[in-house]
Amino acid sequence: GFLDLNGPSGAICEMKRRGFVGLKAHVPLKPYSDDSYLDHYAQAEELGMPVVFHCGHFWQFPEGGLAVEGGYIPTWNTSLYHLDMIAKRFPGLTIIGAHLGWPYSDEAMTLAMTHSNVYVDLAGPLQITISAVKRALLEYHLGHKLLFGTDLFLRKLPVRSVMDRATFWKQYLDAILGLELKDVVTPMIEAGEKTVEMIMGRTAERI
């Protein structure tokens, strides 16, 4: 469910009662780590509901920006710095940084590497995520902290498009890890297959 950080934190309990298992934080009018938002994170932590945070750059849309009541959202509000603060303040809260924090992907990967409760997803346009995903796997060894995701539902595209995107990522991950050459099963191949399974769904099921 969408987490309205500017609304009452009690709404989280209602979403949990209605069957939602996770939350998405977006368009914060204040920085994510603002004191007025902390009750929301405490509620989510207590209820065991992971929170996906839009993080990194805030897009400038053709019509002139993402207008919300009270003005526009500065990129600073969704800075990874705030996720670092939240992760330390609420160690029992599962935090997912969306879009690999683009264009601050290295900072996002470092955050996931150094905080046990922080994960990152690969949702977003392929041109901004594809190279970062490769680095996450081969340089940062974050296969256990990387989650498949897509923003395609927000763009009101058909389910077929989402399935096509999932197929692409599965094939791309296989290629990065050399799994398309798995004529002979080796410990390295088995480890790579497990990593792809985690990224494509196993880790999301676990958290």
Side-chain angles (χ1 to χ4, degrees):
F2 279 96
L3 174 58
D4 181 6
L5 291 170
N6 307 297
S9 61
I12 298 174
C13 292
E14 175 61 18
M15 283 190 280
K16 179 73 172 183
R17 187 190 67 79
R18 293 171 59 188
F20 289 94
V21 297
L23 303 163
K24 171 66 182 285
H26 201 241
V27 292
L29 298 181
K30 304 171 187 175
Y32 278 142
S33 62
D34 190 87
D35 286 347
S36 65
Y37 294 159
L38 300 185
D39 284 347
H40 295 77
Y41 308 142
Q43 282 282 327
E45 181 183 43
E46 181 179 349
L47 294 171
M49 299 181 77
V51 180
V52 180
F53 290 86
H54 172 87
C55 59
H57 185 66
F58 225 93
W59 287 94
Q60 177 79 11
F61 290 92
E63 58 271 24
L66 182 58
V68 295
E69 184 179 355
Y72 295 91
I73 304 298
T75 294
W76 168 246
N77 285 7
T78 61
S79 167
L80 293 159
Y81 164 83
H82 304 298
L83 297 194
D84 174 63
M85 299 296 290
I86 296 165
K88 291 171 178 174
R89 185 77 176 265
F90 302 96
L93 175 66
T94 297
I95 295 170
I96 303 166
H99 320 301
L100 270 163
W102 185 87
Y104 313 109
S105 298
D106 286 292
E107 288 87 344
M109 289 183 250
T110 300
L111 198 64
M113 184 172 63
T114 57
H115 293 69
S116 62
N117 58 329
V118 175
Y119 299 77
V120 288
D121 77 28
L122 49 76
L126 294 178
Q127 66 267 30
I128 69 173
T129 56
I130 196 166
S131 62
V133 168
K134 185 175 182 179
R135 293 203 317 280
L137 286 175
L138 302 184
E139 296 178 27
Y140 287 84
H141 307 290
L142 285 176
H144 63 299
K145 287 295 196 77
L146 189 60
L147 306 174
F148 168 74
T150 172
D151 279 344
L152 296 179
F153 282 124
L154 295 180
R155 291 161 56 190
K156 299 181 180 179
L157 295 176
V159 173
R160 180 71 259 171
S161 296
V162 178
M163 298 303 296
D164 289 344
R165 182 62 60 89
T167 298
F168 166 81
W169 277 116
K170 172 68 167 61
Q171 293 173 344
Y172 180 68
L173 295 170
D174 283 352
I176 290 175
L177 298 174
L179 302 185
E180 78 277 20
L181 304 175
K182 55 184 179 181
D183 293 332
V184 179
V185 176
T186 66
M188 184 174 294
I189 291 294
E190 291 179 339
E193 290 176 336
K194 182 178 179 180
T195 295
V196 173
E197 289 178 359
M198 287 191 295
I199 294 170
M200 296 306 297
R202 294 298 185 192
T203 298
E205 290 177 0
R206 177 175 59 81
I207 64 175

